[in-house]
Amino acid sequence: MANASLKIDDKEYPLPVITGTEGEKAIDTRRLRAETGYIAYDQGYGNTGSCESAITFLDGDNGILRHRGYPIEQLAQHSDFVETAYLIIYGELPNAAKRKEFGLLLRKNAAIETQMQKIFEGFPKGAPPMAMLSSIVGSLAAHYPELATNDFEKDLKNFDLAAAMAISKVRTIGAMLYRYQRGLPYVFPKQDLPFCENFLHMMFSEPYKDYVAAPEVAKALNLLLLLHADHEQNCSTSTVRMVGSSAANLFTSISAGISALSGPLHGGANSAVMHMLQAIHDEGDDGTRFIAAAKSGSKSNRLMGFGHAVYKNFDPRAKIIGKACDDVLNKLGIKDPLLAIAKNLEQAALHDDYFVSRKLYPNVDFYSGIIMRALGIPMNMFTVMFAIGRTPGQIANWRELASNPKGRIYRPRQVYVGPVKREYVPIAQRT
Ligand code: ACO
């Protein structure tokens, strides 16, 4: 076991070392302030382990992502979204009986009750979908208060039902807000349809004409959701833990996570990529201008879909989804000029010293938008799709947090750099 110590002036303080099951090492600084008077400064928490977690292992330097030990490549090839959701939440792949039971619970809890449907009407038709989604998901705590008591012990007793509701209803709310915004009548979930087919049915059915998803379309949607199902302590999942750490219930915590996901540097990146590709297409450019602008260092000109806070080699999800893009478009007989632009842009960036030296590679969002477009999902719904996919990871993290008897409220500190103490000046004496 490694030893660590911190020397401040002449005094040395031993610090315990924690080693994870994959050999990741951490210096335990929990007693640092109490013993030294110092805090650890880590703006953005890039070097801070906020928890111990048994859900997802991510090695950004080597492009590794595993859920409960299973490599993402194997799950993408052999599993589907619902099975992977179960794995992420409960820790093991379900046997046939458990898989059936879980699927049934999702199907039974898919519908949005009449009273809750009225919430939609309170939003302007052009409201940003993520603003609607986070609010309506937050309202689940009001509609099912018995599952959302803000008491971990009680809420954990009802966890299976609350988790199934969250997964199933976030998906239904996503489809309903799509229809609400278009002035279309809602299409209600069908109990006999699997998860992804049901979503597509609720989105795209027409009066007297049910949408029946082609197998390749349902498969592509399954893959897309599965690849987003969890991603360790990212911004939105950390938000779920932050909110949950105050003993807030599952629905409220997930709603906060959805809000965090809406920003363009996180879940909003997928539509930003498509805007960028479309602009390149409209200009008849080959992407040179965007690459040059991205190298200026300005945050607003970044090459969207490139770079990642933790993957500094490649994003394994991007490899899977990049390949799936080709397959899906081929199977559906779609030729999307934006795919060719994306590939050219990727090649140009991968051979450009600016991107290479900063270890900026395509992330999952670089190609996910092209798949969603092929499935008929409009751009302003892309982040909603991400949110539907991420729900299992948020639920699993909330459960892990709520089940930890030694957990404490998340409350970081700061280094104050504002004015030092001064006396109040009455308004008449102020210059
Ligand atoms: N285009 C151009 N330059 C970039 C990009 C980019 N996409 N990303 C990072 N850089 C540059 C930065 O300007 C910085 O340059 P400097 O060292 O000269 O100052 C350097 O690369 C390191 O950048 P950081 O901001 O430190 O990278 P960080 O790890 O904090 O940010 C992030 C990661 C937010 C994902 C960033 O790469 C980015 O903004 N990418 C575009 C948005 C995007 O695709 N987001 C989706 C992420 S995946 C997800 O959420 C599912």
Side-chain angles (χ1 to χ4, degrees), residues 265-266 269 294 302-307 309 312 354 358 360 363:
L265 296 187
H266 191 15
R302 284 187 168 178
L303 196 60
M304 298 316 284
F306 259 73
K312 301 300 176 193
Y354 174 92
R358 287 170 179 75
L360 300 170
N363 59 49

Side-chain angles (χ1 to χ4, degrees), residues 46 61 63 68 99 139 159 187 251 256 265 283 358 376 420 422:
D61 294 326
R68 304 286 190 179
R99 171 66 184 80
S139 81
F159 174 79
V187 175
F251 302 134
L265 296 187
E283 286 177 17
R358 287 170 179 75
V420 294
R422 47 186 172 163

Side-chain angles (χ1 to χ4, degrees), residues 325-347:
C325 244
D326 278 329
D327 294 349
V328 173
L329 266 59
N330 278 340
K331 280 193 184 133
L332 298 179
I334 296 173
K335 281 206 182 339
D336 190 337
L338 300 196
L339 178 59
I341 292 173
K343 285 187 171 175
N344 288 341
L345 205 58
E346 177 182 350
Q347 282 313 310

